[in-house]
Amino acid sequence: MYVGNAGQDAALDRGWLLGHFKGVGDVRRSEAVEVKWGVHPRGDERAQWVRGEERTALLVLISGRFRVALPGRSVLLERQGDYVVWGRGVDHSWRAEEQSVVLTVRWPSVPGYAVAGEG
């Protein structure tokens, strides 16, 4: 069992609360799903597009104003609870238009998508 606070725990591991990247024996380790509590300052953006996506993702706006770029479409999340879902094979990127907090759930949890130096 693990009890924590998303804001505090996220600060310890680039936002990640659950996924394949947690240590062996940690109840938060999962290869089925990963969860991120993303806190993004205004203007923060993904350094490069995710290409060759093998996961399905759900991104929910907690606060702020957040834009998700998908092929041929830009989705603006601006009301608490706005969300977008995309599936395997859908490349994407994002940008925080205002200070934002977003909850991201992706499945399965697989390595290979981190951008060096990105938080």
Side-chain angles (χ1 to χ4, degrees):
M1 180 167 112
Y2 182 90
V3 176
N5 175 277
Q8 291 174 355
D9 290 354
L12 303 175
D13 196 7
R14 299 178 314 127
W16 294 107
L17 302 176
L18 189 139
H20 75 273
F21 29 75
K22 294 296 184 181
V24 174
D26 188 329
V27 70
R28 298 169 299 160
R29 182 179 176 89
S30 172
E31 293 177 12
V33 66
E34 53 194 38
V35 176
K36 183 174 188 177
W37 183 262
V39 177
H40 301 279
R42 181 183 195 149
D44 192 21
E45 59 187 354
R46 184 160 171 85
Q48 62 191 47
W49 275 66
V50 172
R51 307 256 183 226
E53 180 63 80
E54 292 295 323
R55 304 161 298 179
T56 299
L58 161 70
L59 189 144
V60 181
L61 181 70
I62 306 299
S63 64
R65 187 175 161 107
F66 200 81
R67 186 172 298 275
V68 178
L70 303 162
R73 184 160 184 198
S74 177
V75 177
L76 178 61
L77 307 176
E78 55 187 335
R79 293 178 306 155
Q80 184 178 55
D82 284 353
Y83 69 95
V84 60
V85 179
W86 63 92
R88 293 183 66 177
V90 178
D91 298 340
H92 66 278
S93 191
W94 52 261
R95 176 177 170 72
E97 293 194 352
E98 295 177 359
Q99 168 82 23
S100 299
V101 177
V102 295
L103 178 71
T104 304
V105 180
R106 298 188 300 212
W107 61 95
S109 179
V110 295
Y113 293 92
V115 175
E118 186 171 83

